[in-house]
Amino acid sequence: MNNKVINDFRKMIDVNTPIICIQDYDFARIDELIEIVVGPKNVYEWNPATGRTDFKNKGSKEYEPLDAFLDFYVTEEPFKPIDKYLVLKDVQDYVNEQTSETGYLDPMKTKIKSQLQLIAQRKLYDRSYSTTVIIVSSYIHLPQELDKYASYLDISFPTDDEIKQLIDLHVKVNEYKNYNGSDTEKLLPSLKGLTCFEIDRMLDMAMSSNGTLTAEDQRMILQHKKQMVKKSGLLELVDTPASLGSIGGMDALKSYLQRKEKVIKNLGEAMSKGVAVPKGIFIVGMPGCGKSLCAKASAALFNTPLLKMDMGSMMGKYVGESEGNLRRAIQIAEAAAPCVLWIDEIEKAFSGVGGNNDIMTRMFGYFLSWMQDKTSSVYVIATANNADNLPPELKRKGRFDEIFCVNLPNAEERKAIFEVHLKKKKKGNLKLSDKLIKDTDGFNGADIEAVVNEAMEEVFIDEKKDLNIDVLETIASQTISISKSCKKQIDSMKKVFEESSFKDATSGQITKSK
Ligand code: ATP
């Protein structure tokens, strides 16, 4: 078990935290952690399957319901302050906040909530009483009355050394005679972000598929990770047919990504030579100028899955649910690593931070500290149109490796974008005129794509022989570009870019003019 987790847990115990929540279902690993930190003595377990259970040998006698189990500790006479720990496993159906939509509140759950509240209060105010509640469940969202007594312990995933130990143990137990030791390094990145329990399962599955364990099993592991993402419902797995070649312009951003590719594809080696794990980039820019395209092309370039996170869908209606969702989504991304995590329209999620929205401020804090401490190979690409109201912490170094700003394409870039879209229509050898490029000043990539699409349609409807430059010029002259239709917003975005220190996606220069 990772030292940071052990220390965090110990600190929570030392500062007299009444309720400690651990969102995890790898019970064997959590038992190990509890034993390391508080020892096996005076630890009392309850779970829905066996009721009161011996923490050490997992034996149980007659089934005792949770309220009866808790009753004992609520009413316990204070005699001498012995530290006791109540480990409640898999109790989400008993302790999570109840909805009152139907107007019905389960009296048993209400009783359990009051019992936990009483234990927490006695722990805080009665010097001769020291019972700590440890809730271990895959999904916890406590009612507000309990949440104020609770701290949440983040369980990080097994470290590289722990994963290596698990592989070694697996090879030894299964007596793989021909196992090639160098395959461990190759398997390691794909096993990162999984719990010990999941790693064991993966290794078992790998073995049952071909009777042994080799680097080839990586593919099967990554496939399984993709399924995990789908099942979670918190992240969307996006197809990545785009490549860097399908982006016109943005040369500086494209060459930056190409350089990162070398690190990401050889992460183990890069890290052993002192290279830091890449955190990711923040792309701020005009609408329809290819920010999403860049996120998709990056995942294709790095040959990793692309997971899209929609901050809006993280918001839940129960206390702590939104934070729990964000934490879970990040865990899933880590489990799917190596991957690109694309956070679209990040400004919509975090622009209100610091105001009255406590939930958002807490989620933002969690996100920032995760970005700051991140050691997993989750490459984050955040995209935003409006950089005006973003909290400054997000733009500070240490969170993202770089902040790029995408402006409306210049003449050369417009030509490149036309070429990309004409090539897609198999009209790549059409010669573009200076007039067309000049007349499309103020167009974004989406406008240019629309001109090409419309021109193709016109050729078909009017049964013209083939697409020619006159058709493109005529349609372009009739198109109302983004700069005209949204003049005010575009002008104000340009101003923000000029006043901020972003790296220009085209030239690589810093945008701030003064
Ligand atoms: P928004 O901020 O509105 O989400 P965006 O910057 O993410 O926009 P994209 O979704 O990447 O823009 O692009 C919109 C459409 O325009 C895409 O279909 C894409 O093909 C085309 N496009 C935009 N910019 C470029 C570009 N630089 N090269 C090629 N195509 C582009």
Side-chain angles (χ1 to χ4, degrees):
M1 179 63 73
N2 179 311
N3 278 340
K4 183 177 179 300
V5 180
I6 296 175
N7 290 337
D8 288 350
F9 192 16
R10 204 162 267 148
K11 244 184 257 164
M12 285 179 185
I13 301 275
D14 289 348
V15 298
N16 211 26
T17 311
I19 302 177
I20 297 174
C21 296
I22 307 179
Q23 295 209 87
D24 207 293
Y25 51 85
D26 193 346
F27 295 140
R29 192 162 171 246
I30 303 301
D31 277 0
E32 209 182 283
L33 171 71
I34 294 173
E35 202 165 328
I36 294 172
V37 176
V38 301
K41 268 174 79 186
N42 299 319
V43 180
Y44 305 94
E45 174 174 337
W46 190 92
N47 68 63
T50 49
R52 181 186 285 276
T53 302
D54 188 300
F55 181 71
K56 197 82 190 116
N57 63 25
K58 303 297 168 208
S60 64
K61 292 188 189 127
E62 206 177 314
Y63 190 86
E64 183 181 32
L66 181 56
D67 61 318
F69 173 84
L70 292 175
D71 234 0
F72 180 83
Y73 303 96
V74 172
T75 54
E76 197 180 18
E77 286 295 320
F79 49 105
K80 63 179 175 180
I82 298 175
D83 293 335
K84 288 184 185 165
Y85 303 92
L86 310 185
V87 179
L88 312 183
K89 285 183 184 164
D90 228 357
V91 288
Q92 62 277 5
D93 294 340
Y94 300 79
V95 302
N96 280 349
E97 173 154 40
Q98 301 192 64
T99 68
S100 52
E101 270 166 17
T102 55
Y104 172 77
L105 293 179
D106 182 343
M108 182 51 70
K109 288 189 185 174
T110 309
K111 180 178 176 191
I112 289 168
K113 179 177 80 180
S114 305
Q115 289 174 312
L116 290 171
Q117 235 177 322
L118 285 170
I119 293 175
Q121 283 166 359
R122 282 192 73 179
K123 160 110 184 158
L124 284 180
Y125 307 118
D126 182 348
R127 281 169 160 263
S128 58
Y129 183 91
S130 181
T131 296
T132 307
V133 175
I134 302 171
I135 298 177
V136 191
S137 266
S138 53
Y139 183 46
I140 308 172
H141 59 85
L142 297 180
Q144 215 165 357
E145 300 91 320
L146 288 180
D147 204 50
K148 62 182 178 191
Y149 298 112
S151 287
Y152 289 76
L153 180 71
D154 251 333
I155 297 289
S156 41
F157 293 102
T159 59
D160 289 5
D161 282 344
E162 287 172 313
I163 299 176
K164 280 182 194 162
Q165 279 169 19
L166 284 168
I167 298 177
D168 286 349
L169 189 69
H170 199 84
V171 169
K172 205 169 143 199
V173 170
N174 291 288
E175 298 175 0
Y176 299 136
K177 297 222 167 44
N178 299 327
Y179 183 71
N180 184 348
S182 66
D183 282 355
T184 299
E185 288 298 332
K186 292 185 189 145
L187 284 167
L188 198 112
S190 51
L191 290 168
K192 280 183 93 149
L194 296 175
T195 62
C196 293
F197 173 75
E198 286 162 339
I199 292 174
D200 268 339
R201 248 187 73 211
M202 283 295 107
L203 295 174
D204 282 342
M205 276 164 67
M207 180 177 117
S208 65
S209 67
N210 54 9
T212 184
L213 187 64
T214 67
E216 293 300 302
D217 291 314
Q218 271 183 88
R219 214 170 309 138
M220 184 277 300
I221 297 169
L222 291 176
Q223 203 55 39
H224 171 82
K225 283 183 165 187
K226 280 189 180 176
Q227 282 174 19
M228 272 172 46
V229 172
K230 258 195 198 151
K231 273 195 248 164
S232 77
L234 288 169
L235 296 171
E236 183 194 343
L237 196 62
V238 181
D239 269 344
T240 53
S243 68
L244 282 194
S246 63
I247 306 174
M250 295 196 241
D251 285 349
L253 176 50
K254 285 192 291 192
S255 77
Y256 175 92
L257 290 169
Q258 270 161 338
R259 288 176 67 78
K260 286 282 165 197
E261 179 197 0
K262 187 165 177 193
V263 178
I264 290 170
K265 282 198 172 157
N266 305 287
L267 198 57
E269 190 196 339
M271 284 169 73
S272 71
K273 293 189 174 156
V275 179
V277 181
K279 289 179 187 292
I281 50 171
F282 186 7
I283 312 176
V284 190
M286 301 286 179
C289 282
K291 299 182 296 298
S292 314
L293 208 52
C294 271
K296 292 177 191 166
S298 307
L301 178 70
F302 304 153
N303 197 19
T304 61
L306 175 67
L307 311 182
K308 186 174 173 189
M309 179 147 109
D310 173 8
M311 280 292 180
S313 70
M314 298 283 137
M315 305 308 287
K317 52 184 171 177
Y318 305 111
V319 179
E321 192 181 355
S322 313
E323 291 105 306
N325 284 344
L326 178 63
R327 208 175 295 144
R328 179 96 189 101
I330 285 178
Q331 264 184 0
I332 292 163
E334 296 212 310
C339 67
V340 171
L341 178 65
W342 170 26
I343 309 178
D344 196 19
E345 301 191 326
I346 196 170
E347 77 273 36
K348 292 208 174 135
F350 293 141
S351 54
V353 165
N356 293 335
N357 195 335
D358 285 353
I359 297 178
M360 210 26 101
T361 306
R362 282 207 300 271
M363 287 172 79
F364 181 61
Y366 180 78
F367 176 73
L368 283 190
S369 56
W370 174 70
M371 279 298 284
Q372 184 90 36
D373 302 338
K374 189 169 73 67
T375 55
S376 61
S377 45
V378 177
Y379 193 74
V380 179
I381 300 192
T383 53
N385 285 332
N386 188 350
D388 209 6
N389 291 327
L390 279 174
E393 296 95 315
L394 201 62
K395 299 187 237 168
R396 214 173 281 151
K397 274 265 175 200
R399 269 68 201 246
F400 291 96
D401 299 323
E402 201 58 79
I403 303 180
F404 281 95
C405 141
V406 183
N407 257 303
L408 290 174
N410 62 26
E412 209 179 300
E413 292 179 305
R414 293 197 297 278
K415 187 162 179 274
I417 299 173
F418 265 115
E419 283 165 356
V420 163
H421 289 288
L422 285 168
K423 205 167 152 200
K424 272 194 203 160
K425 309 283 180 193
K426 302 202 170 44
K427 305 289 169 202
N429 35 22
L430 185 75
K431 196 165 174 332
L432 298 171
S433 63
D434 290 346
K435 177 174 165 33
L436 178 71
I437 303 305
K438 193 160 165 270
D439 288 354
T440 47
D441 188 15
F443 280 45
N444 64 11
D447 291 333
I448 295 174
E449 188 181 13
V451 169
V452 172
N453 284 341
E454 231 175 281
M456 294 304 293
E457 192 182 88
E458 194 167 305
V459 168
F460 174 75
I461 294 173
D462 295 345
E463 297 181 12
K464 289 193 174 128
K465 216 166 126 221
D466 203 357
L467 177 68
N468 60 45
I469 194 69
D470 296 339
V471 179
L472 280 176
E473 284 177 2
T474 311
I475 290 173
S477 69
Q478 292 161 354
T479 301
I480 310 229
S481 71
I482 183 104
S483 316
K484 288 195 182 130
S485 60
C486 304
K487 188 172 181 327
K488 235 169 128 186
Q489 291 97 313
I490 297 289
D491 287 348
S492 104
M493 279 185 195
K494 271 191 195 154
K495 200 161 161 270
V496 172
F497 296 165
E498 278 165 16
E499 288 166 357
S500 314
S501 300
F502 300 146
K503 199 170 234 189
D504 187 81
T506 307
S507 65
Q509 303 293 315
I510 300 299
T511 50
K512 197 168 186 168
S513 47
K514 294 169 236 142

